[in-house]
Structures are given as structure tokens and as C-alpha cells.
């Protein structure tokens, strides 16, 4: 994934952190935010515990089954970052 595209999406969602990691189309910020870089969608760290994100994302028309592995890895990394920052 192009670094400029990721930073553009971070800026769009007002994420002021650096990029921690990238899994497919999903980027994780150092603050634990998860952003899809193809479709403008973010799971902000403050909402991480609000839903079962795998279940919620599978209801999106644009979410393809082959994206599940990447999102699962991104959510796992975000959870690790959030636990570190607590």
C-alpha cells in the first residue's frame, strides 16, 4: 500500500499518529486506529470496543471475504497497541 495513500486517509479521519503497520488494504496507526485505504472507513481507537468489528464489517457491501484475514490481523495489532497505551 502506498504510504501517501495511507497518510491521506489518516488525514481524512483526523488521525494525528504515525503508521504502525499495514495488512492488505488496512493500516493501523500507532494510536490503535484502523483505516481501510481503498474505501474511506475507519475504526477509531475510541470505538474499538463498541462492536464486533469482524461481524460489522462483513455486512458492508464492499467488504470482500478475502479481506477478512487482513482485517483480523489489523484488529489484533490495534488491540495490542491499545493494551500497551492503557
Amino acid at each position: 500500500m502506498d504510504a501517501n495513500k495511507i497518510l491521506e486517509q489518516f488525514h481524512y479521519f483526523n488521525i494525528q499518529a504515525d503508521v504502525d503497520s499495514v495488512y492488505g488494504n488496512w493500516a493501523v496507526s500507532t494510536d490503535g486506529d484502523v483505516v481501510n485505504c481503498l474505501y474511506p472507513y475507519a475504526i477509531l481507537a475510541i470505538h474499538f470496543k463498541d462492536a464486533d468489528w469482524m461481524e460489522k464489517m462483513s455486512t458492508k457491501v464492499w467488504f470482500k471475504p478475502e479481506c477478512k484475514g487482513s482485517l483480523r490481523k489489523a484488529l489484533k495489532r490495534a488491540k495490542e497497541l491499545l493494551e500497551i497505551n492503557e
Side-chain angles (χ1 to χ4, degrees), residues 26 41 43 53-60 62-63 71:
W26 296 93
Y41 196 91
I43 302 168
W53 289 103
M54 288 301 296
E55 183 179 323
K56 184 172 178 130
M57 293 310 298
S58 65
T59 67
K60 305 292 182 194
W62 54 266
F63 187 75
L71 177 58

Side-chain angles (χ1 to χ4, degrees), residues 2-77:
D2 177 34
N4 287 330
K5 180 70 172 173
I6 295 169
L7 294 175
E8 179 183 301
Q9 290 301 312
F10 278 19
H11 178 74
Y12 179 81
F13 290 106
N14 199 28
I15 296 171
Q16 302 297 317
D18 293 324
V19 177
D20 175 82
S21 48
V22 179
Y23 304 94
N25 297 329
W26 296 93
V28 182
S29 79
T30 53
D31 287 341
D33 304 301
V34 179
V35 176
N36 187 294
C37 298
L38 289 182
Y39 299 93
Y41 196 91
I43 302 168
L44 300 178
I46 59 171
H47 299 296
F48 193 77
K49 296 180 181 178
D50 291 352
D52 176 344
W53 289 103
M54 288 301 296
E55 183 179 323
K56 184 172 178 130
M57 293 310 298
S58 65
T59 67
K60 305 292 182 194
V61 173
W62 54 266
F63 187 75
K64 305 294 182 218
E66 59 270 17
C67 297
K68 283 186 179 181
S70 297
L71 177 58
R72 188 171 284 113
K73 290 176 186 176
L75 292 173
K76 180 180 179 208
R77 180 60 184 151

